[in-house]
């Protein structure tokens, strides 16, 4: 078997990715497929950290529009990411893999609290699922992914989305939008291309972390993206 291109990667799985074709919540067959995909990456010899989103259940900014204070709504959003991480942990273990969920917000009876040194140890033997984002309101799990990728010394961030890369315009509204194979952090910034939210992108750029944007909708999308065989956009320093 050829040597994997990466030693350790960060994979950002949004909450939306876990709802499959549904409009809310968790879709078990989709979660099963993502679990199998993550197991394949780990089996190839790559250490895998995953930051799990929560948008399939709660988005703080949207919830705040109902009158709940933003900081509280964000705390509820962080709880949603813990639910998703537990669902993914369960699916990975059910499929014969080994996973450890860790939360930025301590809830010891549900999963381990995040600590960098412990996460680094777990990465040797387990797929490490990082819940709670940064642990702070007003942030997103994209920022959590960039932060953890930097501190856990991941070599790249793989951002699973609903589209197969970064386009020069929004492909949902611009029929002629062109997919870009490769660009630099600076080009993305200059052209105002939304790769991740601003705080996440700034962190990734500062840490000189490559970001690979790919579609989670394809079969084995994560393993293909990490192998470098799937359709994706590489954003690099
Ligand atoms: N959240 C937060 N701080 C963080 C990460 C997430 O407050 O560091 C909250 C925020 O309310 C966010 C929700 O958790 O809307 C779900 O996360 P996100 O929207 O990033 O999930 P995704 O879009 O990836 O599914």
């Amino acid at each position: 078997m050829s040597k994997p291109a990466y030693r350790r990667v960060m994979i950002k799985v949004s909450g939306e990715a876990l709802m499959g074709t549904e409009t809310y919540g968790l879709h078990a067959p989709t979660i099963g497929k993502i679990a199998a995909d993550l197991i394949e990456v780990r089996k190839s010899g790559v250490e895998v950290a995953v930051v799990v989103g929560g948008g399939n259940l709660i988005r703080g900014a949207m919830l705040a529009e109902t009158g709940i204070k933003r900081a509280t709504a964000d705390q509820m959003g962080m709880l949603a990411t813990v639910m998703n991480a537990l669902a993914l942990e369960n699916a990975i273990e059910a499929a014969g893999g080994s996973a450890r969920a860790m939360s930025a917000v301590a809830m010891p009876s549900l999963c381990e609290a995040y600590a960098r040194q412990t996460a680094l140890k777990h990465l040797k033997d387990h797929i490490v699922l990082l819940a709670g984002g940064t642990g702070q309101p007003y942030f997103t799990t994209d920022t959590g992914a960039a932060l953890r990728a930097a501190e856990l010394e991941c070599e790249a961030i793989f951002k699973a989305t609903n589209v197969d890369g970064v386009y020069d315009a929004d492909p949902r509204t611009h029929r002629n939008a062109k997919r870009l194979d490769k660009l630099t952090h600076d080009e993305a910034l200059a052209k105002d291309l939304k790769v991740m939210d601003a705080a996440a992108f700034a962190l990734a750029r500062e840490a000189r972390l490559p970001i690979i944007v790919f579609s989670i909708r394809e079969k084995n999308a994560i393993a293909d993206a990490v192998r470098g065989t799937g359709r994706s956009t590489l954003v690099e320093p």
Side-chain angles (χ1 to χ4, degrees), residues 7-10 49 123 148-157 209-210:
R7 187 177 49 87
R8 183 180 300 145
V9 295
M10 166 59 65
L123 280 163
R148 300 299 186 225
E151 65 176 309
L152 296 173
E153 294 170 10
C154 297
E155 289 152 325
I157 303 172
L209 273 162

Side-chain angles (χ1 to χ4, degrees), residues 88-210:
L88 199 49
E89 182 186 50
N90 178 81
I92 292 169
E93 299 266 335
S98 183
R100 283 286 181 281
M102 302 185 87
S103 171
V105 182
M107 40 185 90
S109 54
L110 295 189
C111 62
E112 265 179 74
Y114 173 78
R116 181 175 161 272
Q117 296 292 7
T118 320
L120 286 169
K121 278 200 193 101
H122 284 333
L123 280 163
K124 305 263 172 260
D125 302 309
H126 312 285
I127 294 168
V128 175
L129 306 170
L130 300 165
T134 63
Q136 302 300 328
Y138 293 96
F139 285 105
T140 65
T141 52
D142 270 8
T143 308
L147 174 67
R148 300 299 186 225
E151 65 176 309
L152 296 173
E153 294 170 10
C154 297
E155 289 152 325
I157 303 172
F158 287 83
K159 183 174 157 66
T161 68
N162 287 326
V163 281
D164 57 358
V166 179
Y167 283 72
D168 61 359
D170 187 343
R172 286 169 305 187
T173 48
H174 293 74
R175 229 160 42 97
N176 298 326
K178 240 181 64 211
R179 194 180 64 85
L180 306 165
D181 279 333
K182 211 169 161 175
L183 70 157
T184 64
H185 290 129
D186 289 343
E187 282 164 355
L189 202 61
K191 292 181 183 155
D192 196 25
L193 301 174
K194 303 273 179 286
V195 180
M196 296 177 110
D197 67 66
F201 188 76
L203 239 163
R205 182 167 170 256
E206 167 77 25
R208 301 183 64 77
L209 273 162

